[in-house]
């Protein structure tokens, strides 16, 4: 094995251990065109898995300019949104199909 091969092998094992490291998982629901909870705390500096449960019968779109994410979630289903790593701060999001009521924010600490 060359030095380069050993280097690549150790990079690969590092990558796979990172991939299997527990990623913080958070759940949020959409009900009556509102997010519950409307504010979520997330750890700063880490990738986070957000599970968005749409309990309404109608589709909603999770959207955030600050997070650079948008995802349509059909009625009565769920979707995963991977977020971060985020700098500490506040990141508003909204439901694009019901912006009057569906408003929320992530607070990264
Ligand atoms: Cu959109």
């Amino acid at each position: 094995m060359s030095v380069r091969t050993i280097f690549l092998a150790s990079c690969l094992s590092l990558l796979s251990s990172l991939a299997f490291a527990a990623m913080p998982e958070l759940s949020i629901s959409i009900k009556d065109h509102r997010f519950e909870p409307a504010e979520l705390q997330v750890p700063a500096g880490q990738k986070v898995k957000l599970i968005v449960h749409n309990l309404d019968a109608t589709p909603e779109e999770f959207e955030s300019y600050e997070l650079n994410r948008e995802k349509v979630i059909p009625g009565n289903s769920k979707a995963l949104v991977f977020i971060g790593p985020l700098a500490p701060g506040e990141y508003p999001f909204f439901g694009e199909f019901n912006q009057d009521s569906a408003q929320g924010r992530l607070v990264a600490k």
Side-chain angles (χ1 to χ4, degrees):
M1 254 202 265
S2 68
V3 170
R4 187 160 178 271
T5 308
I6 293 167
F7 176 73
L8 283 175
S10 53
C11 282
L12 283 174
S13 69
L14 176 64
L15 278 176
S16 58
S17 60
L18 284 176
F20 289 109
M23 190 185 298
E25 230 177 70
L26 293 156
S27 272
I28 190 167
S29 296
I30 298 162
K31 196 179 174 202
D32 299 327
H33 309 311
R34 289 176 191 280
F35 289 106
E36 288 182 11
E39 182 177 306
L40 280 174
Q41 306 234 342
V42 303
Q46 284 189 58
K47 210 171 170 183
V48 171
K49 185 198 280 186
L50 182 63
I51 306 162
V52 187
H53 300 262
N54 183 1
L55 305 178
D56 286 337
T58 54
E60 184 56 279
E61 185 175 62
F62 177 94
E63 176 143 6
S64 171
Y65 304 126
E66 288 78 2
L67 297 165
N68 191 27
R69 291 288 177 276
E70 63 181 329
K71 184 137 200 170
V72 174
I73 308 138
N76 297 310
S77 55
K78 64 180 178 180
L80 299 180
V81 182
F82 291 93
I83 285 166
L86 298 175
E90 294 189 4
Y91 301 83
F93 56 83
F94 59 95
E96 194 179 356
F97 301 158
N98 298 280
Q99 289 187 46
D100 290 346
S101 53
Q103 295 281 337
R105 61 184 181 163
L106 289 186
V107 180
K109 285 185 182 173

